[in-house]
Amino acid sequence: MENQFIRHEPCFERILFVLTLDRKKMKERILIGEEQQIRFRLNGSQNAEVLCDMTRPLGTFLINFERDTDRDWNLYGLSPLRQALHSNRWKQPELEQAASEFLWGKYLSNDPLKMYVAFRIWNSYLLAREPRDRNAACDRFMDKMSRLTGVFQNETMSFDRETGKPKHFQAGSLYFKGAPSEDTRLDLWFPDNRRTEECVSAYASLYPLITYYLNRLNDWGLCFRQCKVCGKYFLAKSQRYELCSDKCRKAQALQNKREFDERARENNYDLLYKNECQNWRNKINRVKNTAGFPADRLEKIQAAFADFKKEALQRKKAVKTGTASPKEFTDWLYLQSNVIVRLTEY
């Protein structure tokens, strides 16, 4: 199948966007190509010629859905081709080149959705060049392709922000109210002897595919979650999942270890303080039991101990508020060990 974005013989067969969802494996599979070739591929034939056959984590289609708020698809993909259909043969190559560069970049993105729409636009342009009545052909081309790219203007990942549960799409509102019947069509391929999952195929519009996807996720009780490490959205079986991949789980485990080590370092200076207090008490108790130890010196030692505890608490507070470092506090504690030794010499 020719898929370079240059002038060549167009593809006259319908190119479908086929989706299959695997709840058990939490995977989605997308195939792009002619219906017969896709059916061959689904039945296990690797020789079947398709434009795309990609398996990804469930929900990727909705999470990574193309957003075109600036209408780039119309400005750089459709408009130059529309002008080319109304231009003479000398102006057409430049206009075709501008659209080709934009569409080819989308096609090479390795995103099945962008690949499909880019291919459909270029192939539809080649088909529109065939009839004698270019004006009528151009109108049909722009009407069909504008409806195909119009879905990029809307938010597709519709879910409850508190529970993460996908919302059931109401077919009686929004797009489906005034859409042509062709744009509301979605073909369902039931499982057969070789294929255990059902498939759906879209052609004229992607809205029915989005509807099907959201409703299936809702029926299965799955929910959208935002990864606490990378911030990306992913699909999970319950709200307790917070990490989207093994990479993020490893990163979170590493961060947890860093925080644990930091707490251990912070707890270390507190332990040193308690040990030093006990050191003072031991030495004070020893001099109390020493016969003939001067009473006035004992009072001075006890007063020094009170001053030590008062200043130590102030220094601990400074460490906790970040105005002093744990090292400064521990260095000061080591110096106080020498103070009590001098005071208790007899």
Side-chain angles (χ1 to χ4, degrees), residues 29-47:
R29 185 182 181 186
I30 295 174
L31 300 99
I32 301 172
E34 300 173 14
E35 179 176 347
Q36 192 61 49
Q37 295 297 318
I38 290 177
R39 288 186 180 275
F40 286 149
R41 181 62 69 91
L42 288 171
N43 288 335
S45 174
Q46 294 302 313
N47 295 324

Side-chain angles (χ1 to χ4, degrees), residues 190-324:
F190 283 101
D192 55 24
N193 292 333
R194 295 186 181 181
R195 177 169 41 83
T196 57
E197 291 87 22
E198 68 180 24
C199 301
V200 289
S201 69
Y203 178 74
S205 173
L206 295 168
Y207 276 108
L209 196 69
I210 297 167
T211 305
Y212 168 84
Y213 209 134
L214 286 172
N215 289 347
R216 275 288 180 270
L217 298 182
N218 186 287
D219 294 341
W220 292 343
L222 302 177
C223 58
F224 287 104
R225 302 291 293 158
Q226 189 170 19
C227 180
K228 63 185 296 186
V229 173
C230 67
K232 294 181 180 178
Y233 284 97
F234 66 101
L235 204 61
K237 295 181 179 179
S238 71
Q239 294 187 60
R240 67 182 181 87
Y241 291 91
E242 296 181 320
L243 303 171
C244 67
S245 63
D246 289 337
K247 181 180 179 181
C248 288
R249 281 187 280 274
K250 290 178 182 178
Q252 184 62 40
L254 184 60
Q255 179 62 26
N256 291 342
K257 185 178 184 305
R258 290 198 189 103
E259 292 176 359
F260 176 81
D261 292 342
E262 183 65 27
R263 288 194 299 270
R265 283 192 293 271
E266 292 177 355
N267 292 338
N268 184 53
Y269 71 79
D270 190 56
L271 181 61
L272 286 174
Y273 164 69
K274 292 178 180 178
N275 289 340
E276 188 58 31
C277 284
Q278 190 60 43
N279 179 44
W280 278 66
R281 293 190 190 95
N282 292 338
K283 286 183 168 51
I284 290 173
N285 289 333
R286 190 177 300 121
V287 298
K288 282 182 179 179
N289 297 327
T290 301
F293 192 87
D296 57 335
R297 285 188 60 188
L298 178 59
E299 289 180 3
K300 289 181 180 179
I301 293 172
Q302 291 174 329
F305 184 38
D307 292 339
F308 161 75
K309 290 190 291 184
K310 182 178 179 180
E311 185 173 355
L313 291 175
Q314 292 175 347
R315 288 177 177 268
K316 275 183 64 178
K317 185 177 180 181
V319 173
K320 290 181 178 179
T321 57
T323 56

